[in-house]
Amino acid sequence: MKRRSFVALASATTATTALAGAARAPAFAQASTYPDKPITIVVPAPPAGGTDLVTRLYSDLLSQELGVQVIVDNKGGGNGNIGTAIVARAKPDGYTLLMQYSAYHSANPALIKDLNWKPDDFVGVAMGAVAPHVIVVAKKVPVDDLKSFIAYAKANPGKLNYASVGAGSVPHLGGVLLNKAAGLDLIHVPYKGAGPATADTVAGQVELLIVTPPSVSAHIRSGNLKALALASGQRHPAFPDIPTTAEAGLPGFILDGWFALFAPAGTPQPIVDKLNAAMRKIGKMEAVVARANQLGTVLKDWTPAQMNDFAKGEVETWGKVIRDNKITFTE
C-alpha cells in the first residue's frame, strides 16, 4: 500500500473511532452522574391495587439508596396502555420508569390491535414481586369453598359476575379459564384497576374476583371477602389456611401475576445496572421481605438479563392463551 493511501486510511479509521467514542461519551458521562434529579415511576393503574402497592414497597427506599426523590405517578386507564405508552415515549435516561403489571405487558400485545407501544420499547430493570392469584368471593355469596362455589355457579348459569382489573388482565384471563375448566358461565365485568374491582366485590356488586393477594389481603383477614383458593402450586406462608386450587378440587389451575420495573429501550446499561442493584438490595431487607410476605407476594433476586428473558417468555405464553381461547378486548 502506498504511504499516502495508508496515511489516509489510518486518518479515516482514527476519525471514525473518535466519532464513535464521542457518540458513546454522553451516555457514559450521563450514567456516571446518575441520578442527579428526581426519578418518576409511572404506575399504569389506579392507587390501591397490586401494582401500586408493590411500587410503594420500593419507592421510599429507592429514594434513600439513590439519593434523589422517587415520585410515584399513577396513570391508570386504557387497560394499562395510557401509563405504559408514556414511558415507551419517554427519554431513555433513567428518570422515567415503569412499574409494569404482567398482563399489561404480556397480554395487551396479543389482545389489542394497533397498540401504541410494544414490548421491545422497554428493557427490564428488576422484578418487583411475583404474586399467585387468589380466588375470592363477596361475603354475600352462600359458599365457603371452591367446590361449593362451582356447584352454586352451575345452578345459576349466567347470573353470577366476576370482576377483573381490566380486559386482558390475568384476572380476566383467569375467569375465562375458570369458566372453561369448571364448565361455568360467569359474566365478565372489567374495572380500571384492582382498587375499584376489589371495592365492588367487597360491596357485593360482583360475586367473584381473581386477583393478586396485595389487593385483597386486608379484606381476607377482616372477613369482608372469602378466599376460596390460591391459584398456585403451593400454599403461601402469609395465608396458610387458604388451600391451593389443586387441594380445592381444581388441579392445574395456576395463575401467577408479577410487577416489574422497566426502563425505556435505549437506557444506558450502567443506569439499568445501578437501578437493578438498588432494587435487589432493597429486596433483601428484612422489613421488605416481611411486608412482601404479608402482601402474599414472592421476591425474586434477578439480573436485568433474567428479567428480560422472563418477560419475553411471558409475552409468548399469554399471547398463545389469548389466541387459543379467542379472547377479545371487549369480553
Side-chain angles (χ1 to χ4, degrees):
M1 181 182 292
K2 292 182 177 180
R3 176 174 176 78
R4 183 178 299 174
S5 300
F6 177 80
V7 171
L9 177 60
S11 298
T13 302
T14 301
T16 301
T17 303
L19 286 171
R24 290 193 300 268
F28 283 100
Q30 179 187 40
S32 66
T33 59
Y34 175 86
D36 59 6
K37 63 181 181 180
I39 296 168
T40 297
I41 300 178
V42 174
V43 176
T51 315
D52 181 69
L53 289 171
V54 170
T55 305
R56 295 178 192 278
L57 181 67
Y58 287 92
S59 57
D60 287 346
L61 292 169
L62 273 175
S63 293
Q64 296 176 26
E65 287 297 317
L66 299 173
V68 297
Q69 183 182 12
V70 174
I71 301 164
V72 177
D73 186 11
N74 294 85
K75 295 290 186 183
N79 204 48
N81 294 318
I82 292 175
T84 301
I86 288 172
V87 182
R89 294 192 295 266
K91 186 177 180 181
D93 57 4
Y95 291 101
T96 304
L97 307 173
L98 176 72
M99 183 63 83
Q100 183 65 300
Y101 167 52
S102 54
Y104 294 159
H105 187 84
S106 307
N108 283 0
L111 191 71
I112 300 174
K113 187 178 180 181
D114 300 324
L115 195 63
N116 58 353
W117 60 271
K118 57 187 184 298
D120 289 346
D121 289 335
F122 303 95
V123 293
V125 173
M127 177 60 77
V130 176
H133 282 65
V134 62
I135 303 172
V136 298
V137 293
K139 191 162 57 174
K140 72 171 188 177
V141 180
V143 303
D144 292 309
D145 56 61
L146 186 58
K147 285 185 178 179
S148 297
F149 176 81
I150 290 173
Y152 178 68
K154 285 184 175 179
N156 295 274
K159 296 180 181 179
L160 305 181
N161 300 314
Y162 77 92
S164 83
V165 302
S169 64
V170 174
H172 173 202
L173 301 178
V176 171
L177 296 176
L178 179 61
N179 274 340
K180 188 174 182 179
L184 306 182
D185 186 19
L186 304 176
I187 306 303
H188 177 222
V189 181
Y191 287 82
K192 293 181 179 180
T198 300
D200 268 14
T201 308
V202 170
Q205 299 300 314
V206 291
E207 285 75 22
L208 180 138
L209 172 64
I210 303 173
V211 73
T212 51
S215 302
V216 293
S217 57
H219 296 295
I220 292 172
R221 293 189 174 96
S222 69
N224 288 328
L225 292 172
K226 293 186 282 189
L228 304 184
L230 193 69
S232 176
Q234 59 186 21
R235 295 194 184 200
H236 193 282
F239 304 100
D241 296 330
I242 301 178
T244 66
T245 39
E247 292 171 330
L250 199 64
F253 188 82
I254 295 177
L255 294 170
D256 280 328
W258 46 267
F259 311 96
L261 191 65
F262 288 87
T267 300
Q269 191 61 43
I271 289 178
V272 172
D273 291 340
K274 188 167 188 176
L275 289 166
N276 174 267
M279 288 284 290
R280 292 168 71 185
K281 180 178 179 181
I282 292 168
K284 295 183 179 73
M285 294 179 180
E286 185 175 338
V288 174
V289 173
R291 176 59 176 157
N293 286 335
Q294 184 183 39
L295 291 172
T297 61
V298 178
L299 303 180
K300 299 288 185 181
D301 184 29
W302 287 356
T303 65
Q306 288 173 307
M307 184 64 243
N308 279 320
D309 288 345
F310 174 78
K312 183 178 179 180
E314 287 284 277
V315 171
E316 295 172 356
T317 297
W318 285 108
K320 186 175 187 303
V321 170
I322 290 167
R323 290 187 293 271
D324 289 352
N325 289 278
K326 297 180 173 59
I327 299 171
T328 66
F329 184 72
T330 56
E331 285 189 10

